[in-house]
Amino acid sequence: NPVGFTEVVRTILSEPGDKHLVIAINDNLADGTDVSWLWDADVEALAGRTRSVVVTGTRGGDMAVRLKYAGVPVDRIHQAPSVEQALDLGMATSPDSGTLYVLPTYTAMLELRKLASRRGYAERFWES
């Protein structure tokens, strides 16, 4: 929803420096099929604070358009056809000592979580 997304953006931007982001937007039933909320979220705050943004998901193209209209330079917006490719590209474009912020919708988060645990980046909490 727009309020939650706006608050996540504000929290990320509370730290100094340019940000590297992966934004994964799906419109599956569990996510909510209406993504018009993207236009209500305050993503304009990202315009001067992002070094790279990788978008993906079934509505990644919509997110790319939203970022463009928010003022994020188009040469900093990259689209990836899959969550796995988005994560790889996000990691490749962020510095080794930096932070890669990942903002997923619910079903994209589940996919990212499986990927992260398979790669050893996160614990398989359901097996603990």
Side-chain angles (χ1 to χ4, degrees), residues 2 33-41 59 66:
T33 56
D34 179 6
V35 295
S36 63
W37 64 267
L38 295 175
W39 293 93
D40 297 325
R59 299 307 285 265
R66 178 65 182 100

Side-chain angles (χ1 to χ4, degrees), residues 10 24 26 34 36 51 75 89 116:
R10 285 183 184 160
N26 285 340
D34 179 6
S36 63
R51 178 67 57 203
D75 63 333
L89 183 56

Side-chain angles (χ1 to χ4, degrees), residues 28 59 69 81 86 107:
N28 298 321
R59 299 307 285 265
Y69 280 97
T107 60

Side-chain angles (χ1 to χ4, degrees), residues 43-106:
V43 295
E44 282 74 13
L46 294 171
R49 299 284 309 275
T50 55
R51 178 67 57 203
S52 67
V53 183
V54 181
V55 296
T56 192
T58 57
R59 299 307 285 265
D62 294 278
M63 189 73 238
V65 170
R66 178 65 182 100
L67 291 167
K68 175 185 172 188
Y69 280 97
V72 175
V74 293
D75 63 333
R76 295 183 181 189
I77 303 168
H78 313 280
Q79 287 189 265
S82 72
V83 169
E84 185 168 20
Q85 290 169 323
L87 184 60
D88 290 342
L89 183 56
M91 292 176 71
T93 57
S94 61
D96 291 338
S97 61
T99 300
L100 175 64
Y101 296 93
V102 181
L103 291 77
T105 56
Y106 179 70

